[in-house]
DNA sequence: TTCGGCAGGATTGTATCCAATCTGCTAGAT
DNA sequence: ATCTAGCAGATTGGATACAATCCTGCCGAA
């Protein structure tokens, strides 16, 4: 038996994220509430509330009396998201370094190891999740919950496209190396190095994702 | 006759914002859906969707099977919000300066004048709205819609407390002066001066609002 | 071809009912 | 007297059905 979310709308929300992430719901595509509600086996009420949440995150757009559509990301949008990530992640990393304990370092190293394991298994969804867990464990150390929430929104916005990034073997190796560097910088409590490697890591990502969007 | 929002949930959303802003719904207070739905003359469904939006913005919190509560802001929360605002507004102002046209300057000057007029009338809600219009007109010039959206969320989070700021006459005069300085810096296309005066403006605000929260 | 209107479809809003859960009170045990 | 278990009331969460509103696309007339 699968671990069941407490409420239907949470379950629907999780399902929607997967649908969007895996491309079952493609960018620009309309979301027909009745169809999706039936597909998920729920009524429209929790579905709409989940869609409202996604709308708030910018994952879907809403046109009055026309319904919800999966958000599309232009090159400009993408660059803006990554610019904002750069600014906010620097802040998060800076705060994280000043808070980090040896215990935290162990936990993060463990998460890095899980990313490594996930890249072996070739399962994109698993790699995405592991990668996310690794990075947000670091961001969480900032002890700035609102900052983390904003970052989560920004990551969500590009998840669809970033997942393609993980499908290429060359990228996977580089990611693992960069994670090691980040971990090393954190261990040394070096803000500058931590930020630099985050920047490098992100720049490599944006380059690949831009290529995806450009076609 | 007042301009009516197109959908009921938008109307409810606007009403909720006013209720929260004016303190009819006080921080920490539970929002009883049935009562409020009846008070607004709507059913619970659009009310809940409006609450979902506010939850996404962090304006209200949600506890499972216990309902919605008006969000409370701790001193730490407040400082985090203002720290994030500082970071993001600097980015927005920088981009705005590089885009600003003479036409934009006229429009912003006009908005500044409206703030001045609003302060005369002593109506807090009006001042808040005018002030917001002034600042976001500047932020919008960044042509970074997601950045503006994040800023809007951050402003919303502290609106309740900031409105108190406007009730004090001494603050009002200073605000007007600072707006003039911002306008002057923008006219000169000086990024450094624009950022500096935004920082000063914000610092004065956070000091007052902190005092309010501290009691 | 273009314009106007009409029908169909989709979303939105509402009402009602039921299930799940939380809260507070009461009764019993220690 | 205090603590705990459990019951009742209240509230939220969800499902379903139906009415209302609005968009879209087609069809015919000028």
């Amino acid at each position: 038996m699968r671990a069941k979310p407490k409420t239907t709308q949470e379950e629907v929300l999780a399902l929607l994220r997967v649908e969007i992430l895996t491309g079952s719901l493609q960018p620009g595509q309309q979301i027909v509430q009745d169809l999706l509600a039936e597909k998920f086996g729920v009524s429209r009420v929790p579905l709409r509330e989940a869609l409202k949440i996604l709308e708030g995150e910018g994952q879907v757009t809403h046109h009055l009396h026309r319904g919800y559509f999966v958000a599309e990301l232009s090159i400009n949008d993408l660059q803006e998201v990554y610019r904002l990530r750069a600014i906010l992640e620097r802040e998060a990393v800076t705060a994280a370094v000043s808070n980090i304990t040896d215990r935290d370092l162990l936990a993060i190293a463990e998460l890095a190891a899980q990313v490594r394991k996930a890249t072996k298994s070739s399962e994109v969804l698993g790699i995405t999740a592991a990668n996310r867990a690794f990075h947000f464990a670091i961001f969480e150390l900032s002890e700035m919950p609102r900052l983390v929430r904003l970052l989560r929104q920004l990551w969500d916005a590009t998840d669809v496209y970033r997942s393609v990034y993980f499908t290429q073997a060359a990228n996977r190796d580089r990611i693992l190396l960069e994670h090691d560097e980040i971990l090393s910088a954190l261990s040394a409590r070096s803000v500058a190095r931590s930020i630099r490697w985050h920047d490098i890591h992100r720049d490599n990502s944006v380059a690949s994702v831009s290529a995806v969007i450009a076609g």
Side-chain angles (χ1 to χ4, degrees), chain A:
Chain A
M1 170 140 32
R2 186 179 50 192
K4 193 178 118 198
K6 295 214 164 43
T7 68
T8 306
Q9 62 181 257
E10 281 179 38
E11 187 176 350
V12 169
L13 183 58
L15 285 172
L16 275 172
R17 288 192 199 280
V18 172
E19 293 275 315
I20 292 174
L21 194 57
T22 59
S24 296
L25 291 174
Q26 293 199 344
Q29 183 178 346
Q30 181 170 11
I31 297 173
V32 181
Q33 296 181 13
D34 275 330
L35 291 181
L36 213 59
E38 191 181 5
K39 178 175 175 183
F40 289 163
V42 301
S43 78
R44 271 173 35 219
V45 177
L47 174 62
R48 278 171 59 179
E49 299 199 345
L51 285 170
K52 272 276 174 297
I53 294 174
L54 289 176
E55 186 192 2
E57 295 175 358
Q59 293 270 81
V60 302
T61 60
H62 178 68
H63 300 274
L64 195 57
H65 289 115
R66 285 178 47 214
Y68 290 90
F69 296 80
V70 181
E72 292 180 279
L73 217 65
S74 69
I75 283 284
N76 281 343
D77 286 329
L78 184 82
Q79 283 173 350
E80 185 182 348
V81 168
Y82 273 84
R83 173 73 184 135
L84 295 175
R85 272 187 53 187
I87 297 170
L88 294 176
E89 289 179 6
R90 280 171 201 157
E91 177 74 11
V93 168
T94 303
V97 169
S98 72
N99 289 336
I100 202 167
T101 66
D102 291 340
R103 190 190 186 77
D104 295 328
L105 283 171
L106 283 178
I108 292 169
E110 168 59 25
L111 290 170
Q114 286 182 13
V115 176
R116 192 175 298 275
K117 200 167 69 182
T119 56
K120 298 270 198 301
S121 80
S122 300
E123 220 228 325
V124 174
L125 224 61
I127 303 173
T128 305
N131 183 61
R132 210 186 166 90
F134 170 76
H135 286 290
F136 275 88
I138 297 171
F139 299 150
E140 296 272 5
L141 294 178
S142 69
E143 291 180 9
M144 297 174 73
R146 289 168 185 270
L147 172 55
V148 174
R149 199 158 66 92
L150 295 185
L151 282 174
R152 226 175 277 280
Q153 284 182 25
L154 293 171
W155 279 60
D156 284 335
T158 56
D159 246 359
V160 200
Y161 302 93
R162 199 165 51 251
S163 66
V164 181
Y165 184 48
F166 294 116
T167 60
Q168 299 167 12
N171 288 333
R172 295 186 184 183
D173 293 337
R174 188 174 49 205
I175 288 170
L176 297 179
L177 281 176
E178 288 164 358
H179 282 189
D180 288 341
E181 291 288 348
I182 287 173
L183 197 54
S184 157
L186 290 176
S187 302
R189 266 80 172 177
S190 166
V191 171
R193 270 181 62 204
S194 298
I195 288 181
R196 181 145 40 85
W197 278 103
H198 270 93
D199 284 346
I200 292 171
H201 193 48
R202 195 168 41 244
D203 288 345
N204 283 332
S205 172
V206 71
S208 289
V209 178
S210 293
V212 172
I213 290 188

